[in-house]
Amino acid sequence: MADPQAVRAIFEHLPGVFFFVKDAQGRHIAANSETFTRFDIESEDELVGAMDEKFFPADWAKAFREDDQQVIRSGKPLINRLELWYNEQRNLDWFLTTKLPVRDRRGKVIGVMGITRRDEDRMRHYDVREVTAAVQYARQHCGRNLTTAELARAAGVSERHLHRLLRTTLGLTPHELLLRTRIQSAAEALVRTSTPISEIAIQHGFCDQSAFTQQFRKRTGVTPRQFRVRNRG
């Protein structure tokens, strides 16, 4: 594998570009100083060996790892994937990420390297505006189980067109976007409040705690109760 520190050097001179390298297990190997700032860490010691869960909500970290594994399995790059990342105010915002396979001297893929950046021209494109409208509507109504038809109307497009847009930009179906949005909001409630899990389930459009637990564990790898204990700890 090429020295990630040497590759990183060029990205120290590109403001607004966040460079990272991860191994096949998803552990961070290297990053540029812009990434340190965005992750709110001071040194590489806090980065090396850490998984995305250290810096992002569990649901988004899982989505990032799925993209990483896609690159590792296929050996093909992932170009300009629209995804959520932290902005300067430490709020989640839209960015474009490109990931490339990292190969050893024999050509075997052993990790991924990539860059994340804003692209103002892309963000002004009508497709992205429509995706943003759909995501915002999903967030604003995460307390109930929206239909794809409702989401499409909010974005001003047909259901078929919305499906294509979300698959192209986010790699998600409308149903999965709606479900992830509700789970993300529920995860925040688990950490920030003492509301019983059964009530959080109902407040986020799940028929009962059992259904909520099943979907939550499928996407985060832990139950809502485990998530609450771990993140409060």
Side-chain angles (χ1 to χ4, degrees):
M1 175 180 175
D3 181 2
Q5 307 298 341
V7 176
R8 179 183 66 177
I10 191 171
F11 291 100
E12 294 295 342
H13 305 284
L14 296 176
V17 175
F18 308 97
F19 170 73
F20 57 88
V21 182
K22 291 183 273 186
D23 66 16
Q25 285 71 49
R27 296 172 296 208
H28 285 267
I29 296 174
N32 63 348
S33 57
E34 290 268 3
T35 303
F36 294 165
T37 301
R38 194 52 50 93
F39 283 169
D40 196 25
I41 59 177
E42 297 182 356
S43 71
E44 199 162 53
D45 290 342
E46 299 177 71
L47 175 87
V48 174
M51 310 287 279
D52 283 327
E53 282 82 355
K54 180 175 180 178
F55 310 110
F56 296 98
D59 196 32
W60 297 110
K62 184 174 184 291
F64 296 160
R65 184 167 299 110
E66 289 172 354
D67 284 347
D68 294 345
Q69 290 302 313
Q70 176 184 331
V71 172
I72 291 171
R73 287 193 302 269
S74 68
K76 298 179 180 179
L78 186 66
I79 307 296
N80 286 342
R81 166 62 61 82
L82 188 67
E83 61 184 26
L84 287 170
W85 234 63
Y86 286 120
N87 61 21
E88 291 82 354
Q89 289 74 43
R90 294 287 297 165
N91 296 317
L92 289 173
D93 201 354
W94 294 110
F95 286 80
L96 292 172
T97 294
T98 291
K99 296 180 178 180
L100 304 173
V102 175
R103 302 177 184 273
D104 62 17
R105 293 181 179 179
R106 297 181 179 180
K108 179 182 177 182
V109 179
I110 57 174
V112 296
M113 68 169 59
I115 58 171
T116 297
R117 61 189 173 85
R118 273 201 179 96
D119 187 331
E120 299 300 335
D121 290 337
R122 173 76 178 272
M123 296 303 287
R124 284 192 291 268
H125 192 273
Y126 75 94
D127 279 0
V128 176
R129 287 205 303 269
E130 291 164 353
V131 169
T132 300
V135 171
Q136 289 177 341
Y137 190 81
R139 288 176 176 172
Q140 292 165 359
H141 298 83
C142 61
R144 62 188 182 90
N145 193 356
L146 293 173
T147 66
T148 301
E150 290 178 278
L151 196 63
R153 283 197 297 271
V157 297
S158 68
E159 291 183 57
R160 182 176 180 180
H161 188 52
L162 179 65
H163 191 282
R164 182 185 66 81
L165 288 178
L166 294 180
R167 290 292 296 180
T168 299
T169 56
L170 302 181
L172 302 174
T173 64
H175 174 74
E176 184 67 17
L177 170 65
L178 290 168
L179 192 52
R180 288 191 183 192
T181 301
R182 288 157 56 206
I183 288 175
Q184 174 61 28
S185 178
E188 293 174 0
L190 287 168
V191 175
R192 296 176 181 177
T193 75
S194 298
T195 304
I197 294 174
S198 58
E199 291 185 27
I200 290 176
I202 299 301
Q203 291 169 0
H204 289 84
F206 295 93
C207 60
D208 54 34
Q209 184 173 337
S210 177
F212 172 50
T213 297
Q214 180 183 11
Q215 296 295 344
F216 193 95
R217 180 164 47 192
K218 181 178 179 181
R219 284 159 181 81
T220 67
V222 295
T223 67
R225 190 176 305 280
Q226 290 169 333
F227 183 86
R228 169 174 270 176
V229 172
R230 177 185 300 177
N231 285 277
R232 282 185 169 180

